[in-house]
Amino acid sequence: MADTSRDRIIRMLGMVTYLEANGPTPVAVLADHFGVSADAATRDLWALGTTGFPPYLHGELFDFDFDALDEGLAVLTESLGVTQVRLSGQEAVALTGALATLVAAGTAPEGAERLLERITGAFGGSVPVTVLAGEDGPSADVRQALAAAITAGRAVRLAYVDANDRRTERVIEPHRLVAIDGIGYVECWCRKADDYRTLRLSRIESADALTEPVSHAPSQARGFDLERTFEATVVLSRSARWALEDLPGAAVTVGDERATVTFGVTDPAWAARRLLAVAPQLVSVEPAALRDALARHADAVLAVQDA
Amino acid sequence: MAAADGEIDPAQRLLNLMLALSRTRHRLTRDQIRASVEGYETAPAGVSEAERGRADASFERMFERDKKALRSMGIPLRTITDPAHQDDLGYRIDPDVDMPPLDLTVQDAAILAIAAQYWTSKAMKADARQGYAKLVSAVEHEDGPALPFGGVSTSGSADVVAALAEAASLRQVVSFEYASASSPTRVRTVEPWGIVLRSGVEYLVGWDVDAAAERVFRLVRVQGKVKPRGEPEAFDRPATLPLGSLADDADVATATIAVRPEAGHALRRRGEVVGADDGWDVLEVSYRHADLLRAEVLALAGAARVIEPADLARSVREHALAAAEVARG
């Protein structure tokens, strides 16, 4: 963690606030609470002892029992009536934006919504961030069943439709509900795949808790671990680049009329579907493997779709 | 009393400045700050003009940085002009900067810790970390519950969000280079009103000063840095953010779509089977955005076809024809 002046001043005010609220506290606990080493916490406390109001005479400086501090115990004897400052706008955006994103994705812990309201309320209700629900949120039933099973340590039987529209029944051992770029997933051990999986919540049709306990520990790896099979380069008219620009790792070069997007492809069929959505705006598609997938998809549509 | 014994840590100087300005009755001028706040070098006595000039300039630079740092921490530093001496600027911090009591529990702190870990880009991560430290300052340290939840943003434009969030909070005009869908890349000057997040995509809603109109900007299209223009508190933000094109207020229409058995599961979930047609199930599906439904039908690669409306059916076929043409060259 890069310790900036802002981090330090917030931490110093935080220590005064903490000690005022909770009384004498071992420096080690204070250090842990604010995520720094005991040495750094000790330096902060000593610095506070020479900080205060001009002209910095007795009673105008924060004061501690410095003998106790030498023994590793922080005892605040003069707080000057100073306390932690309110959130800045961008701090409020970062925290409430993340909390509201977790709520919208269906991956927020119990109590997150109320906490969000309290923080927003304390900020005067004017945090400049709005989080909108996506097109396909997860069903509340699925979410609740998974959250309950995770807490109870039970396996769950799912009906799941994958990205290629294949519907399967599978038994999973759910570990965590996570939001990745605003979309909700369950991290789990999948007994059908005999491997760890990250399954999109909105593709789960039903989730029924079983009585069997989970037998696999959560994976240490987070999120996806997708192997790229190749790198694709697509040229399309600039008005259509929305279809590709949010792909993870996509690089976009914009010209006057056209945009060039390069991105990693794991599943050519999946990439082909993405391209079909903006087909009239496509100029060129590389490599040939992606063109083949696109042609197959287009032919399959043309075989059934009358004009 | 000013520091004679070398420089003190910038954080300590900032804290001294904040305390001095929040307890002054009326205001402190730059000269008073320089003379009384621990951490600033006083104007040197008995030195050459040139040396004095350098010391003055160095104080001015340091003070400007510190003002900015305090503002970015959410501490509004007010500039107070003396009616008698208009050039003589003074400063004060109003007494409403304290964190209101929220009485957060250990469970609340654990939830906040998950939210604070969501952002991975440098600036948003720092904002979240600092906000978290502020909010949990008074919460008694205990091992919180291990909550089986998490989140991560991999967005490359999150630092643009951080810069715009700061400008929106300070109500400061910004400019940035923007590559829109329809017009060439050019610099936009905007009153930033608010950030909108939807399914991992970030937007800015604001007032485009040159176009004199409300605009929605997709932040992945902002190129380079967001630059503040002019002073804070330059405009008012609307009480309710106008969502413009992000508002989900399109009319609902109904399409008739045929799907193969054991296919089109997402469509089946949203729609209703109303019949069968030569081995296909016929569904009625309501929709708001024709382009999204078209993409969904196209993605099913022949396992679905549109029966009604005719223009949607035609558009699906046109897309497939265009794809076939590009794919075969």
Side-chain angles (χ1 to χ4, degrees), chain A residues 102 106-110 143 147 150 175-178, chain B residues 114 146-151:
Chain A
L102 294 178
T107 59
E110 190 80 33
R143 198 206 94 84
I150 291 169
H175 296 135
R176 284 208 315 166
L177 297 181
V178 296
Chain B
I114 292 170
L147 296 174
F149 295 88

Side-chain angles (χ1 to χ4, degrees), chain A:
Chain A
M1 165 180 124
D3 196 25
T4 63
S5 291
R6 239 161 79 182
D7 284 304
R8 191 167 190 222
I9 186 169
I10 288 166
R11 193 169 64 233
M12 285 163 74
L13 285 169
M15 288 178 175
V16 171
T17 306
Y18 186 94
L19 294 170
E20 188 70 9
N22 299 293
T25 304
V27 174
V29 171
L30 212 50
D32 209 24
H33 191 66
F34 290 99
V36 290
S37 69
D39 282 353
T42 306
R43 279 197 300 277
D44 290 340
L45 294 165
W46 278 98
L48 279 167
T50 58
T51 302
F53 298 104
Y56 310 102
L57 301 174
H58 185 71
E60 291 163 333
L61 298 168
F62 293 106
D63 204 6
F64 298 87
D65 179 340
F66 287 100
D67 291 333
L69 190 50
D70 277 335
E71 304 292 318
L73 185 67
V75 184
L76 182 70
T77 55
E78 177 57 78
S79 73
L80 302 173
V82 170
T83 184
Q84 186 57 272
V85 294
R86 65 186 186 195
L87 295 179
S88 73
Q90 67 269 33
E91 287 161 358
V93 167
L95 283 177
T96 63
L99 262 182
T101 297
L102 294 178
V103 170
T107 59
E110 190 80 33
E113 275 176 87
R114 220 169 58 80
L115 178 61
L116 181 60
E117 280 167 24
R118 281 157 75 201
I119 296 172
T120 321
F123 202 80
S126 61
V127 184
V129 67
T130 305
V131 176
L132 302 176
E135 292 284 332
D136 60 340
S139 91
D141 290 348
V142 164
R143 198 206 94 84
Q144 270 163 19
L146 287 171
I150 291 169
T151 308
R154 303 289 183 192
V156 177
R157 183 184 306 281
L158 298 187
Y160 182 74
V161 178
D162 72 11
N164 293 316
D165 197 40
R166 282 186 297 259
R167 189 175 186 278
T168 51
E169 296 250 331
R170 53 177 88 198
V171 174
I172 64 159
E173 301 181 0
H175 296 135
R176 284 208 315 166
L177 297 181
V178 296
I180 301 172
D181 291 326
I183 311 278
Y185 299 86
V186 56
E187 287 176 349
C188 60
W189 173 265
C190 177
R191 291 189 182 166
K192 183 180 161 76
D194 203 24
D195 199 357
Y196 292 101
R197 284 287 182 270
T198 302
L199 304 178
R200 188 163 172 156
L201 295 181
S202 64
R203 296 210 185 102
I204 298 174
E205 293 192 330
S206 64
D208 299 303
L210 306 175
T211 52
E212 299 163 41
V214 299
S215 54
H216 287 78
S219 162
Q220 291 308 305
R222 294 295 184 218
F224 304 112
D225 187 20
L226 297 177
E227 270 177 58
R228 289 177 171 201
T229 48
F230 57 79
E231 175 115 323
T233 302
V234 172
V235 179
L236 71 178
S237 70
R238 52 185 288 154
S239 61
R241 86 204 125 110
W242 59 267
L244 304 175
E245 68 192 352
D246 295 317
L247 293 177
V252 185
T253 320
V254 184
D256 281 347
E257 310 262 311
R258 292 171 177 180
T260 305
V261 187
T262 55
F263 54 98
V265 174
T266 323
D267 177 2
W270 185 87
R273 285 198 295 272
R274 195 100 181 188
L275 294 179
L276 264 176
V278 288
Q281 281 89 43
L282 292 174
V283 177
S284 70
V285 175
E286 295 291 343
L290 184 52
R291 283 201 301 275
D292 291 347
L294 186 59
R296 273 197 306 279
H297 269 70
D299 291 347
V301 173
L302 291 171
V304 301
Q305 181 68 62
D306 314 317

